[in-house]
Amino acid sequence: MAAYSIPYVQVSKQYEEEREELEAVIRDVLANRSHVGDKLVDELEEELASYCEAKYAVTLNSGTDALMLAMLTAGIKPGDEVITPPNSFVASTSAIVHIGAKPVFADVLPDQNIDPDAVEAAITPRTKAIMAVHLTGRICQMDKLQGIADKHGLILFEDAAQSIGSRYNNKKSGSFGKVGCFSTHPLKNLNACGDGGFITTNSSEIALRVRRLRSHGMSDRVTVEEWGLVSRMDTLQAAILQFRLKRLQSVIDRRRANAKYYQDNLRHSGIFFPACRKEEYNTFHTFVIQVENHRDALQQYLSELGVKTTIHYPIPIHLQPAAKTLGYKQGDFPVTEAQSEKILTLPVNQYMTRADQDAVIKETLVFMETVAGASRRKIG
C-alpha cells in the first residue's frame, strides 16, 4: 500500500467546495435560459475583457480555436511563417498548421519561455507573426518581444492558455499582443466543466469577425457573410465560468502560496526551478522543477509512494512524428531538448494541504540525497 495519496489534480474537491452554489447555477441555465446564445454569454465576455484589461473578449469552444481564429482574423495567410517555441502543448503549433501557415521554432530560456534573441534570429522575409506562449503561468519577456515585433513589422500573439491573471511589468496576460488566446479546459486555473476558450483584443474588427466566424460566418439568422465554423461557447459553460471567475483570485492566491512553499523548502543542488523576478506575477498553472539525470527515476519513486506528478512536455513538438514535414531534427533546439529530459511537474493545485506538500518535499529531497550519496560513493 502506498504511503500517501496525493493526486496531481483534484477536480472532485473543487466540486465539493462549490457544490451547492454551482448546482444552483446549472439548474438556472437548464430551467430558464437558452442553451446557446444566451445574454449570459455576453455578460461573461464583458467580465473577461475587464478582468484581462482588454477592450473585447469573445468566448469560444476551445483554446485551440482561439488560436486559429486569432490568426485568421489578424491576417495570417497560407505560407506565412509564425515563430513559436517547440516546448509548448501541441495546440500552439497545430493551430498554425491548420490555417495553412508555417510554424518556425525558436529555442527557450531556462524559465522555459521563448528566448527573444532566438526569435529575432529566426525571422525571415516570410515571417508574419510571433506566437508567444506563457508557459506554466509565467508571462514571456513581452517588452522585448514587442520591440522585436515593432522593429520587423510583425504581429504579436499571446498563447495565454496557462496564464490567466498573470502579470508582467504590471500588465495582465492577454493585454500585450494583437490577440490573447485563452483556454478554459477543466485543468486550467479558470476552468469550465468541459472544453472552452476565449480571445482578448483591443481591435473591434477582430472581435466582430471572431464572433461571426464562430457561428458559421453568419451576421444574423439568415445572412452568411463568409464561410465560418461552429466554435461557440454554450451557455452552461459560460455560466460555470462566470461563477468561477468571481473565485479565481482565491484559486490563484492558494496556488501561489503552494508554489512559494515549494520554493522556500525544495532546495537541492540537483534541482532547478526559475526564481520569480520582481516584474513577474506568476499564477502557477504548473510548478515545474528540472532534475539533472534522474528525472524519470524520481517520478517513479514518487509514484510508488502515491505522489502523482506529470511532465509538461516529454517530447518537444519539433521531434513529434507529425512534425517530420517541418524539417527539424534532434539537436536543433538544445535548451528545449535538454529541458525535456529534466522537467517534472509537481502537484500545486489549490486543494493541496500543507501535509501533502511536506510529503512531496520530504520524499523528493530524500530521493535526491540518496542519489547524491550513491554518486559520491561511486566517485570515491
Side-chain angles (χ1 to χ4, degrees):
M1 183 176 178
Y4 310 103
S5 179
I6 302 175
Y8 176 70
V9 296
Q10 301 192 59
V11 176
S12 60
K13 283 277 190 182
Q14 183 179 26
Y15 175 58
E16 289 175 17
E17 182 180 78
E18 300 172 344
R19 180 171 181 170
E20 186 174 341
E21 293 174 276
L22 185 60
E23 288 185 354
V25 167
I26 293 170
R27 285 194 298 270
D28 175 63
V29 171
L30 297 179
N32 302 313
R33 294 186 177 276
S34 300
H35 293 181
V36 175
D38 192 87
K39 66 179 182 179
L40 185 150
V41 177
D42 300 331
E43 294 171 2
L44 174 63
E45 290 178 344
E46 292 177 2
E47 292 168 13
L48 289 170
S50 176
Y51 181 84
C52 295
E53 300 175 356
K55 288 184 179 179
Y56 308 99
V58 182
T59 53
L60 299 162
N61 71 354
S62 70
T64 303
D65 276 13
L67 293 165
M68 292 175 61
L69 291 176
M71 288 185 284
L72 282 171
T73 56
I76 304 302
K77 296 179 174 58
D80 289 341
E81 292 181 354
V82 180
I83 299 173
T84 196
N87 67 336
S88 174
F89 182 62
V90 68
S92 55
T93 297
S94 66
I96 297 168
V97 173
H98 283 312
I99 65 167
K102 180 183 178 182
V104 173
F105 294 120
D107 215 346
V108 300
L109 296 166
D111 68 3
Q112 296 185 265
N113 275 342
I114 197 165
D115 182 346
D117 290 339
V119 168
E120 189 149 33
I123 294 171
T124 76
R126 296 177 297 279
T127 306
K128 186 66 178 288
I130 302 165
M131 175 67 76
V133 181
H134 305 322
L135 210 62
T136 78
R138 174 180 285 104
I139 294 180
C140 298
Q141 295 181 15
M142 294 303 288
D143 49 354
K144 293 182 179 180
L145 292 174
Q146 188 65 68
I148 292 168
D150 292 344
K151 176 182 174 182
H152 295 276
L154 306 177
I155 302 169
L156 181 59
F157 298 104
E158 295 176 73
D159 181 340
Q162 298 185 7
S163 64
I164 188 165
S166 298
R167 288 182 176 272
Y168 181 81
N169 285 333
N170 208 34
K171 284 191 66 175
K172 278 274 188 79
S173 173
S175 69
F176 289 91
K178 187 76 169 178
V179 189
C181 307
F182 292 83
S183 168
T184 60
H185 181 277
L187 298 185
K188 297 297 190 287
N189 289 8
L190 175 63
N191 57 333
C193 290
D195 281 314
F198 64 95
I199 63 107
T200 54
T201 184
N202 290 327
S203 167
S204 58
E205 293 82 5
I206 286 176
L208 177 64
R209 192 165 176 226
V210 171
R211 287 194 174 97
R212 189 166 64 222
L213 284 171
R214 72 179 175 181
S215 188
H216 296 289
M218 301 176 75
S219 58
D220 55 43
R221 292 292 297 172
V222 297
T223 308
V224 180
E225 298 286 350
E226 58 183 317
W227 303 120
L229 62 159
V230 180
S231 186
R232 300 179 296 254
M233 178 179 288
D234 64 66
T235 306
L236 182 59
Q237 300 304 336
I240 292 167
L241 289 170
Q242 187 180 49
F243 168 74
R244 287 180 171 167
L245 183 60
K246 296 178 176 65
R247 307 164 70 94
L248 178 57
Q249 191 57 51
S250 173
V251 171
I252 291 171
D253 289 344
R254 285 183 279 174
R255 296 179 81 98
R256 280 174 54 82
N258 289 346
K260 187 176 188 305
Y261 194 69
Y262 278 141
Q263 291 169 330
D264 290 344
N265 293 280
L266 195 59
R267 298 192 180 277
H268 188 279
S269 59
I271 298 173
F272 169 78
F273 47 82
C276 290
R277 298 189 291 265
K278 62 180 181 179
E279 66 269 23
E280 297 175 343
Y281 179 86
N282 187 341
T283 53
F284 289 99
H285 169 63
T286 55
F287 186 88
V288 179
I289 62 174
Q290 298 179 33
V291 181
E292 292 284 349
N293 302 320
H294 305 289
R295 187 271 310 278
D296 293 344
L298 173 59
Q299 185 177 38
Q300 182 177 350
Y301 173 78
L302 292 174
S303 178
E304 289 172 354
L305 289 170
V307 178
K308 301 304 179 186
T309 62
T310 189
I311 300 171
H312 294 93
Y313 302 94
I315 304 175
I317 299 172
H318 69 288
L319 300 179
Q320 292 284 356
K324 286 181 179 178
T325 57
L326 299 179
Y328 293 106
K329 63 184 185 304
Q330 186 88 33
D332 284 344
F333 305 103
V335 179
T336 292
E337 291 169 24
Q339 287 178 354
S340 72
E341 297 178 355
K342 302 175 186 178
I343 51 177
L344 183 66
T345 307
L346 303 181
V348 74
N349 69 79
Q350 63 269 30
Y351 298 104
M352 291 193 77
T353 65
R354 187 52 51 85
D356 289 339
Q357 282 201 280
D358 284 337
V360 175
I361 293 164
K362 171 192 168 185
E363 299 299 348
T364 300
L365 293 177
V366 164
F367 174 88
M368 295 303 297
E369 283 303 313
T370 302
V371 166
S375 297
R376 286 193 294 268
R377 288 192 295 274
K378 186 175 180 181
I379 293 170

